[in-house]
Amino acid sequence: MTERRAQLAENLARVEERISSACAAAGRKRDEVTLVVVTKTYPASDVRLLAELGVCHVAENRDQEAAPKAAECSGFTLDWHFVGQLQTNKARSVVSYADMVQSVDRTRLATALSAAAVRAGREVGCLVQVALDAEEGGAGGRGGAAPDEVPEIADAIAAAEGLRLGGVMTVAPLTGVYAGRQRAAFERLMEISARLRAEHPAANMVSAGMSSDLEDAVAAGATHVRVGTAVLGVRPRLR
Ligand SMILES: *Cc1c(COP(=O)(O)O)cnc(C)c1O
């Protein structure tokens, strides 16, 4: 366990260095970017070590895994982010531990999250997940709404009791015009964010960038990067 702790500390330091360098290169202040560590497939013991090492934000993508893990870490002050594709029948469970749902991609999901949040007496932050490969019509392969659907979903979140509209999120697409062009993809997300902020000035969160492309996200203007592999190691292939 001490060995794991040392390994996580070393990985965190390296990621911190990457974020700091990317901020410096972009002329941004380090505190403009929040690190969210994606802990999916890794045990609650790792989450607890991360919390002890100063991590404040963790993310999960499957409710079945996240719910028990969050319960096992209830003694720590952590913000839990949900970043996976989410069915409406899981809204109640997710709202019981998540502070932020980054993957809201349809109005119906916002409605379900709102009902669950009201019932739980909680306020849940929501980001609209944008699928940049849905631009030519099709739905995003990794979840997300087409860019032209963002205003409607954002308005629904903003109007919903129990929800707070935080901003936008994306995963760099594997297909479409932005495939392999992370920087351009994240710049497109910034345009979508600017348009959103014109209507909802407080919705200024931009979640973009993962282990392989966090520098591109910081350069484009992301406020949150979601890093898994670079902190915890390469995930087991299944799941
Ligand atoms: C797994 C995951 C990440 C982290 O990816 P890494 O490449 O391991 O850093 C970020 N965002 C989402 C939505 C994920 O599912």
Side-chain angles (χ1 to χ4, degrees):
M1 193 51 90
T2 11
E3 203 179 310
R4 181 61 169 157
R5 186 191 168 97
Q7 182 179 54
L8 291 176
E10 189 185 321
N11 292 349
L12 270 177
R14 205 170 296 135
V15 167
E16 177 53 41
E17 173 60 34
R18 286 176 61 190
I19 297 172
S20 298
S21 302
C23 284
R28 302 182 64 194
K29 292 208 285 283
R30 171 62 190 90
D31 66 7
E32 291 175 31
V33 179
T34 299
L35 170 65
V36 181
V37 179
V38 184
T39 48
K40 64 189 183 198
T41 77
Y42 286 95
S45 55
D46 278 354
V47 181
R48 290 196 294 266
L49 288 172
L50 289 168
E52 286 169 12
L53 291 166
V55 168
C56 302
H57 298 268
V58 293
E60 289 282 331
N61 72 335
R62 291 169 70 244
D63 177 58
Q64 305 93 293
E65 179 185 343
K69 218 187 270 186
E72 278 185 71
C73 299
S74 60
F76 292 88
T77 309
L78 282 167
D79 270 18
W80 289 80
H81 297 244
F82 191 86
V83 298
Q85 285 178 255
L86 181 55
Q87 293 173 321
T88 51
N89 63 4
K90 296 280 167 58
R92 226 176 128 182
S93 176
V94 167
V95 158
S96 73
Y97 58 85
D99 301 284
M100 176 76 57
V101 178
Q102 298 203 3
S103 47
V104 180
D105 57 4
R106 57 204 190 280
T107 301
R108 225 167 71 79
L109 178 57
T111 306
L113 288 168
S114 170
V118 168
R119 186 173 187 148
R122 299 199 64 190
E123 186 183 68
V124 179
C126 292
L127 304 186
V128 181
Q129 183 180 348
V130 185
L132 294 168
D133 53 354
E135 205 131 34
E136 304 93 15
R142 305 162 94 180
D148 64 356
E149 294 177 317
V150 171
E152 186 186 327
I153 299 166
D155 288 348
I157 294 167
E161 218 180 319
L163 305 184
R164 183 177 71 265
L165 178 64
V168 290
M169 177 273 237
T170 203
V171 178
L174 298 172
T175 61
V177 293
Y178 292 109
R181 300 171 57 219
Q182 278 84 346
R183 179 71 186 268
F186 298 146
E187 279 168 0
R188 174 78 179 107
L189 183 70
M190 291 306 298
E191 286 172 19
I192 294 166
S193 166
R195 209 157 302 158
L196 175 71
R197 279 175 282 141
E199 299 297 321
H200 303 278
N204 57 6
M205 288 178 58
V206 179
S207 173
M210 319 199 297
S211 293
S212 60
D213 54 21
L214 71 87
E215 284 85 359
D216 288 316
V218 171
T223 63
H224 289 67
V225 292
R226 310 176 308 269
V227 180
T229 309
V231 172
L232 289 137
V234 177
R235 285 180 293 276
R237 269 182 68 98
L238 273 182
R239 305 172 65 185

